[in-house]
């Protein structure tokens, strides 16, 4: 079937097969590899994207459910070469290692800061509770979100 | 001609931001699955539904009839491999099944969902044979000829039994560590394409060249006809250190569809079979000491598992051969060969499980001797490395213990177990030592080329699995060549560049950095300070003659505060201190992350990780992140990480020791020791789950 949706501000149209997830469509049909597939069942948050403004795990959204929707992925957060403050903060804090959980964490942190510009540590931890990282031990990720909160306009 | 001013160092030691960072935070760094390829096919594997036996029939008709399915590959139609000596990798060459979930075939289809759907429609019948898939102390055991990395299986010095009989204090402890799975966030992934006899693999690996050599041998092609590309890798922790059957399956299937790329990313559930795991261990430690608390006898006897199809002999007790001083010592390793997948490397294989046992036993023994556990360790500090008889190039364990005690506030600890309660929480503190050898793998070669405009290219095939190699190697190159980091163009992660050894054993910086320094020396010798564009040299990691004169190890110490709920027995770790003596630190920012990540995995080993095998069916039952627990951010409290300035001129030109693994060595014991101090309950079987604390 045909799927039409807006991705990062662009209108996109693609064939999909039944059973395909939004994550599969983003990666394999639209070539947007920023959202990662690390568990495929909503446990790790690596595929976090915005679906009509809501933070979702793209692996848990059937492609058909996204028909006519607006999707924003990690690729849609920076403006050209200019990184979003959340992305800057992850770099500067040293919150990135292998980088595979990073896009999901950045989208989740972006979502938190868009709702709450001065989150407490507990609120940051809660907002990122659905994102697993195997490399870092999280500490610098929490630091990065606080740094971003200070610089996000 | 270059007119760049030569610098005299300064890049090494700088807290540089990650060079690979911008691509990672924007989601544009291409991991293995994400290289742009034309017209790919998707692979979904067929996995055995018995533990041991033979495939007797395959009916793929329903699968083949599904739209989008291109071919169902099984042992009946798979191409023959040129080398079948490695039975882990020699897949689809017969109908033999050696463990549950072993690959017995694969579906190739135009989309992933079509492949997955079709795989479920293939009917495979089997002749089943009896199996044994669980490690048992009373099962059949054998003595391997040697352990991994060439360590001897058993060692004995002095007269252990005599020493025990005359010891003032003795301890006899049995410790177990469970099967664990590495679970890097990026699943094991291969994109394989054959064109006119040339094989290209976009691979998630810790070593592009080791994979190239393995596949060339297995498929019987010249090495230079196999190219492996791995610029960005989403973690490995050892499981991507050696190629596994998933890589061979993708390449084998791709042979049947010449010209079309085959994409195969193992699913998270499939990550629990066939891509390696930490072998479970049963360890017995006996310690004897004199009335002053000096060890007079140490034995460490290990039972662990391997697979019937390939030996993996983890060097679990090797660390005990040198950690503390004693005149009488014995270490042994016995293996149970089971109908299971082949164990493999997982962060600090050997040291991590071995030091859990040894450092738990040291804590128990300190109490029996009436000594503070730090003082007990200091009393047993060796003067030389007992394993080699050589002095240490540097050994600053005592400094780490003292510095850590100060930072952590060890003097405030109440030594008596279960003597400190705050509300619902029983509070305790624990300490343990850390160590890791400086491995130096041979054979890496670095190319340095002057490319004009003050730019020097530095090239070799090394993989950055998230460690920070992109950044650290750029810093090393800058100092070796004598220019700024902005003058370096590093190119790694591809067998198109010269050979690089595996990113394993915390050896990468030592091996690759030494090659860079050697290449830079030769480059200046040949081309001077003002080279012409295109001037180039290649040099190999030189032998380090000092390895004949010195034993080389990194050391460290962990301090943990554990809080145990008095009723539910939930364990929390609100703070952890790690102090390391690991030579020169190349990049403070990335190094800190490496130490911290190791400690976090040690905390995880202590409290969470355990792959549970159902012996009847031979598979891991908790095969996803819902049931195989790794820490979330809520599990991590305050982490205090530091290192002492250590000047070791013998290890390599950088003065650095490996740091990727030491953080997990001993940290699980520090948690267990803290839990004991909090509760009075000694948990000798990891992980420390609440059921083991309920009395």
């Amino acid at each position: 079937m045909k799927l039409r949706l807006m991705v990062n501000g662009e209108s996109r149209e693609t064939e999909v097969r039944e059973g395909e997830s939004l994550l599969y469509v983003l990666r394999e049909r639209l070539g947007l590899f920023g959202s990662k597939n690390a568990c495929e069942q909503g446990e790790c948050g690596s595929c976090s994207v915005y679906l009509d403004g809501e933070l979702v795990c793209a692996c848990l959204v059937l492609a058909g459910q996204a028909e006519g929707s607006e999707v924003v992925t990690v690729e849609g957060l920076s403006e050209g070469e200019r990184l979003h403050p959340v992305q800057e903060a992850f770099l500067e804090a040293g919150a990135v290692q292998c980088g595979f959980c990073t896009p999901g964490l950045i989208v989740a942190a972006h979502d938190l800061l868009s709702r709450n510009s001065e989150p407490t540590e507990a609120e940051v931890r809660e907002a990122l509770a659905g994102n697993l990282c195997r490399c870092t031990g999280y500490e610098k990720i929490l630091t990065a979100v606080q740094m971003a909160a200070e610089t996000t306009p | 001609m270059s007119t760049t001013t030569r610098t005299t160092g300064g890049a090494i030691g700088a807290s540089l931001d990650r060079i690979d960072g911008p691509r990672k935070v924007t989601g544009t760094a291409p991991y293995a699955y994400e290289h742009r390829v034309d017209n790919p096919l998707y692979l979904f594997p067929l996995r055995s539904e018995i533990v041991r036996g033979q495939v007797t029939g395959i009916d793929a008709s329903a699968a083949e009839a599904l739209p989008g399915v291109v071919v169902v590959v099984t042992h009946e139609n798979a191409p023959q491999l040129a080398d079948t000596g490695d039975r882990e990798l020699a897949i689809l060459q017969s109908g033999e099944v050696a463990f549950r979930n072993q690959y017995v075939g694969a579906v190739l289809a135009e989309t992933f969902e079509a492949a997955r759907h079709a795989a479920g429609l293939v009917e495979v019948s089997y002749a089943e044979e009896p199996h044994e898939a669980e490690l048992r102390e009373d099962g059949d055991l054998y003595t391997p000829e040697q352990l991994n990395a060439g360590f001897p299986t058993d060692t004995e010095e002095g007269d252990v039994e005599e020493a025990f009989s005359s010891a003032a204090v003795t301890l006899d402890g049995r410790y177990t560590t469970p099967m664990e799975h590495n679970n890097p966030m990026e699943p094991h992934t291969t994109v394989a394409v054959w064109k006119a006899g040339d094989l290209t693999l976009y691979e998630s690996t810790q070593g592009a060249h080791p994979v190239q050599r393995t596949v060339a041998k297995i498929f019987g092609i010249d090495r230079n006809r196999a190219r492996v590309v791995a610029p960005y890798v989403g973690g490995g922790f050892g499981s991507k250190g050696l190629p596994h059957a998933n890589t061979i399956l993708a390449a084998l299937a791709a042979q049947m569809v010449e010209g079309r790329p085959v994409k195969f990313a193992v699913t998270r559930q499939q990550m629990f079979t066939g891509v390696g795991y930490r072998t479970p261990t049963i360890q017995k430690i006996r310690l004897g000491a004199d009335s002053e608390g000096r060890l007079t006898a140490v034995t460490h006897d290990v039972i662990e598992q391997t697979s019937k199809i390939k030996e993996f002999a983890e060097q679990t007790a090797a660390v005990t051969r040198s950690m503390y001083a004693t005149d009488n010592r014995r270490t042994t390793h016995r293996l149970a060969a089971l109908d299971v997948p082949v164990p493999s490397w997982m962060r600090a294989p050997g040291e991590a499980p071995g030091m859990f046992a040894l450092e738990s036993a040291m804590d128990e023994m300190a109490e029996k001797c009436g000594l503070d556990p730090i003082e007990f360790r200091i009393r047993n500090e060796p003067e030389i490395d007992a394993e080699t008889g050589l002095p240490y190039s540097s050994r600053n364990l005592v400094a780490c213990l003292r510095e850590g005690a100060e930072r952590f506030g060890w003097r405030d600890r109440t030594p008596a177990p279960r003597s400190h309660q705050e509300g619902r929480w029983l509070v305790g503190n624990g300490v343990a030592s850390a160590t890791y050898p400086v491995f130096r793998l041979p054979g890496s070669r670095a190319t340095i080329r002057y490319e004009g405009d003050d730019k020097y290219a530095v090239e070799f095939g090394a993989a950055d699995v998230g460690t920070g190699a992109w950044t650290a190697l750029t810093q090393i190159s800058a100092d070796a060549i004598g220019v700024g980091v902005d003058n370096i163009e590093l190119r790694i992660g591809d067998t198109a560049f010269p050979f690089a050894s595996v990113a394993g054993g915390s050896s990468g910086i030592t091996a690759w950095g030494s090659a860079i320094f050697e290449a830079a020396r030769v480059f200046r010798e040949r081309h001077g300070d003002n080279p012409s564009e295109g001037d180039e040299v290649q040099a190999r990691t030189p032998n380090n003659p000092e390895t004949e004169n010195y034993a080389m190890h990194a050391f460290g110490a962990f301090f943990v505060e554990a809080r145990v709920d008095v009723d539910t027995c939930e364990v929390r770790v609100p703070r952890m201190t790690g102090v390391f003596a690991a030579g020169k630190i190349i990049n403070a920012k990335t190094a800190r992350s490496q130490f911290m990540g190791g400690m976090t995995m040690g905390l995880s080993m202590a409290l969470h990780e355990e792959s549970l095998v159902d012996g009847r069916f031979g598979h891991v039952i908790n095969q996803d992140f819902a049931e195989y627990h790794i820490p979330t951010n809520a599990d991590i409290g305050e982490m205090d990480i530091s290192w002492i300035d250590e000047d070791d001129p013998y290890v390599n030109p950088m003065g650095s020791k490996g740091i990727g693994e030491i953080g997990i060595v001993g940290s699980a014991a520090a948690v267990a020791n803290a839990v004991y101090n909090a509760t009075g309950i000694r948990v000798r079987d990891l992980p420390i789950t609440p059921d083991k604390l309920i009395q």
Side-chain angles (χ1 to χ4, degrees):
Chain A
M1 64 178 194
K2 276 247 182 299
L3 179 75
R4 290 175 198 82
L5 69 175
M6 292 281 284
V7 184
N8 299 331
E10 262 181 65
S11 175
R12 303 292 297 261
E13 190 176 297
T14 178
E15 274 300 317
V16 300
R17 189 184 190 279
E18 68 262 36
E20 287 178 9
S21 66
L22 174 59
L23 178 61
Y24 181 84
V25 168
L26 290 171
R27 288 171 57 82
E28 295 301 316
R29 296 202 180 268
L30 303 179
L32 290 166
F33 290 116
S35 314
K36 304 302 179 198
N37 183 356
C39 79
E40 222 194 2
Q41 51 188 37
E43 290 149 3
C44 77
S46 304
C47 62
S48 298
V49 300
Y50 285 106
L51 177 67
D52 290 331
E54 289 278 326
L55 186 69
V56 297
C57 286
C59 73
L60 295 184
V61 177
L62 273 175
Q65 290 176 279
E67 170 66 27
S69 294
E70 201 168 313
V71 175
V72 178
T73 70
V74 69
E75 290 98 333
L77 299 183
S78 48
E79 285 177 37
E81 292 285 290
R82 202 158 58 88
L83 299 180
H84 187 274
V86 173
Q87 294 167 318
E88 285 282 3
F90 267 66
L91 274 185
E92 203 185 323
V96 179
Q97 283 186 251
C98 88
F100 211 72
C101 69
T102 305
L105 275 157
I106 283 178
V107 176
H110 185 275
D111 173 60
L112 168 70
L113 296 179
S114 67
R115 291 181 285 107
N116 180 352
S117 58
E118 288 175 39
T120 62
E121 189 195 319
E123 286 167 338
V124 175
R125 283 181 183 264
E126 177 62 30
L128 303 185
N131 293 78
L132 293 178
C133 170
R134 189 64 158 154
C135 298
T136 65
Y138 301 99
E139 183 206 34
K140 291 296 172 192
I141 294 169
L142 304 176
T143 306
V145 179
Q146 295 292 6
M147 282 168 60
E150 284 158 27
T151 53
T152 302
Chain B
M1 294 284 272
S2 163
T3 52
T4 319
T5 314
R6 296 278 309 271
T7 63
T8 51
I12 292 177
S15 214
L16 202 67
D17 283 349
R18 272 180 184 267
I19 285 170
D20 47 331
R23 303 192 87 184
K24 287 179 172 176
V25 298
T26 51
T28 54
Y31 296 83
Y33 208 75
E34 300 165 0
H35 293 270
R36 311 275 164 183
V37 292
D38 290 331
N39 203 19
L41 289 169
Y42 295 84
L43 184 153
F44 199 88
L46 304 172
R47 306 192 305 157
S48 71
E49 296 153 293
I50 61 163
V51 184
R52 182 163 165 260
Q54 294 286 330
V55 173
T56 53
I58 296 167
D59 180 358
S61 51
E64 283 162 348
L66 205 71
V69 171
V70 173
V71 63
V72 178
V73 189
T74 69
H75 74 277
E76 292 173 353
N77 61 356
Q80 222 176 352
L81 297 171
D83 185 316
T84 56
D86 184 328
R87 291 175 68 201
E88 180 187 6
L89 303 180
I91 49 168
L92 309 196
Q93 300 300 293
S94 75
E96 188 192 347
V97 173
F99 53 84
R100 164 83 55 172
N101 288 334
Q102 189 176 24
Y103 297 132
V104 295
V107 177
L108 293 184
E110 299 289 345
T111 71
F112 175 76
E113 291 302 341
R116 171 149 60 186
H117 183 186
L121 300 176
V122 179
E123 302 263 359
V124 182
S125 44
Y126 302 91
E128 206 170 343
E129 290 161 32
H131 68 263
E132 180 59 59
E134 276 179 297
L135 178 62
R136 292 202 335 263
E137 208 166 342
D138 58 355
D140 288 337
L141 302 173
Y142 76 97
T143 308
E145 264 182 44
Q146 60 171 21
L147 305 175
N148 295 346
F151 286 99
T153 306
D154 297 347
T155 59
E156 183 144 15
E157 51 188 307
D159 187 338
V160 167
E161 294 312 321
E162 162 57 29
F164 275 122
S165 62
S166 58
V169 186
T170 59
L171 171 86
D172 200 336
R174 178 183 183 276
Y175 307 85
T176 65
T177 60
M179 173 188 284
E180 295 178 343
H181 282 80
N182 307 50
N183 278 307
M185 290 310 292
E186 182 198 24
H188 287 234
T189 300
T190 304
V191 179
V193 56
W194 288 90
K195 271 185 192 150
D198 287 342
L199 173 64
T200 302
L201 297 176
Y202 301 95
E203 178 77 1
S204 183
T205 179
Q206 293 170 226
H209 283 97
V211 170
Q212 178 200 41
R213 290 178 175 208
T214 300
V215 295
K217 186 162 167 250
I218 284 180
F219 288 95
I221 57 173
D222 196 69
R223 252 181 224 164
N224 59 27
R225 307 205 70 175
R227 179 178 173 201
V228 180
V229 182
Y232 298 95
V233 181
F237 313 106
S239 67
K240 295 172 185 169
L242 299 164
H244 298 293
N246 60 297
T247 302
I248 307 305
L249 182 62
L252 190 64
Q255 260 189 326
M256 298 179 72
V257 289
E258 168 87 22
R260 291 194 74 176
V262 167
K263 302 183 83 166
F264 178 27
V266 171
T267 67
R268 182 57 58 189
Q269 290 88 340
Q270 292 164 359
M271 288 282 286
F272 288 80
T273 303
V275 296
Y277 59 94
R278 194 191 290 289
T279 186
T281 70
I282 301 165
Q283 305 178 53
K284 289 184 175 162
I285 291 193
R286 288 169 75 203
L287 302 177
D290 64 19
S291 55
E292 305 286 302
R294 287 191 176 79
L295 289 168
T296 53
V298 174
T299 64
H300 192 168
D301 300 301
V302 180
I303 293 171
E304 54 201 9
Q305 81 182 41
T306 183
S307 169
K308 275 185 194 160
I309 60 169
K310 184 167 156 182
E311 184 175 277
F312 183 88
E314 184 148 327
Q315 69 274 28
T316 303
V319 70
T320 301
R321 295 169 184 167
S322 61
M323 194 63 202
Y324 298 109
T326 185
D327 291 332
N328 307 287
R329 176 162 19 211
R330 186 187 72 220
T331 61
T332 68
H333 296 79
R334 299 293 176 266
L335 297 183
L338 303 175
D339 303 302
V340 295
V342 186
S344 192
W345 302 334
M346 179 163 166
R347 208 171 200 167
E351 287 83 7
M355 280 287 275
F356 165 69
L358 180 63
E359 289 301 288
S360 295
M362 288 295 285
D363 199 63
E364 294 188 54
M365 192 62 171
E367 188 181 35
K368 282 199 162 199
C369 293
L371 289 171
D372 177 88
I374 296 176
E375 174 57 28
F376 179 56
R377 285 175 173 83
I378 291 172
R379 275 190 202 190
N380 290 288
E381 177 72 359
E383 285 182 12
I384 59 161
D385 171 35
E387 196 177 14
T388 57
L390 298 173
Y392 286 95
S393 62
S394 53
R395 177 174 167 125
N396 285 301
L397 172 61
V398 172
C400 292
L401 286 164
R402 292 201 164 120
E403 169 79 9
E406 198 59 37
R407 295 179 74 96
F408 184 81
W410 184 255
R411 73 169 77 82
D412 300 331
R413 172 183 190 254
T414 50
R418 212 182 182 97
S419 59
H420 181 183
Q421 186 166 351
E422 292 177 21
R424 301 183 53 79
W425 298 101
L426 299 167
V427 183
N429 295 338
V431 64
S433 304
T435 186
Y436 198 80
V438 179
F439 285 118
R440 184 186 187 88
L441 299 181
S444 293
R445 288 178 290 132
T447 290
I448 294 178
R449 185 185 319 107
Y450 181 62
E451 297 196 329
D453 280 343
D454 296 338
K455 287 280 184 197
Y456 289 82
V458 178
E459 298 173 343
F460 49 99
D464 184 336
V465 292
T467 54
W470 272 107
T471 316
L473 294 170
T474 300
Q475 292 171 268
I476 290 168
S477 300
D479 280 3
I481 299 172
V483 295
V485 289
D486 293 338
N487 302 106
I488 300 296
E489 182 76 33
L490 183 73
R491 297 182 191 127
I492 59 173
D494 193 329
T495 56
F497 305 129
F499 178 86
S501 53
V502 67
S506 298
S507 68
I509 293 297
T510 292
W512 312 327
S514 298
I516 294 172
F517 263 88
E518 181 64 8
R521 186 186 66 75
V522 177
F523 186 94
R524 290 302 179 204
E525 214 173 79
R526 287 200 196 146
H527 303 297
D529 281 354
N530 296 301
S532 305
E533 191 172 332
D535 284 348
E536 168 178 328
V537 302
Q538 195 179 97
R540 192 182 286 268
T541 306
N543 287 330
N544 178 4
E546 298 295 357
T547 56
E548 312 265 303
N549 305 324
Y550 295 99
M552 300 175 183
H553 299 256
F555 292 90
F558 304 109
F559 295 78
V560 167
E561 177 183 320
R563 291 181 168 240
V564 182
D565 186 286
V566 70
D567 291 321
T568 68
C569 297
E570 175 192 8
V571 181
R572 307 287 302 168
V573 174
R575 64 194 183 103
M576 203 164 172
T577 291
V579 180
F580 300 92
K584 177 82 179 166
I585 298 302
I586 309 288
N587 180 319
K589 197 174 278 190
T590 53
R592 192 181 180 288
S593 293
Q594 285 292 87
F595 289 132
M596 164 109 187
M599 285 165 64
T600 300
M601 215 177 263
L603 177 64
S604 186
M605 180 183 182
L607 300 181
H608 304 305
E609 291 184 50
E610 178 173 29
S611 302
L612 296 158
V613 172
D614 185 332
R616 296 169 302 168
F617 304 106
H619 73 301
V620 175
I621 53 175
N622 53 333
Q623 50 182 351
D624 59 29
F625 280 145
E627 308 224 20
Y628 184 90
H629 292 167
I630 63 171
T632 69
N633 78 60
D635 294 304
I636 310 301
E638 186 189 326
M639 288 283 200
D640 172 38
I641 292 156
S642 63
W643 46 87
I644 61 172
D645 287 329
E646 189 175 71
D647 181 22
D648 189 327
Y650 306 113
V651 279
N652 56 44
M654 294 74 65
S656 66
K657 298 174 178 177
I659 57 171
E661 288 162 278
I662 190 168
I664 198 176
V665 180
S667 39
V671 175
N673 297 342
V675 168
Y676 172 75
N677 183 239
T679 63
I681 299 166
R682 174 64 62 179
V683 179
R684 299 183 183 85
D685 306 290
L686 291 182
I688 307 168
T689 44
D691 55 297
K692 293 170 187 163
L693 295 168
I694 289 171
Q695 289 187 313

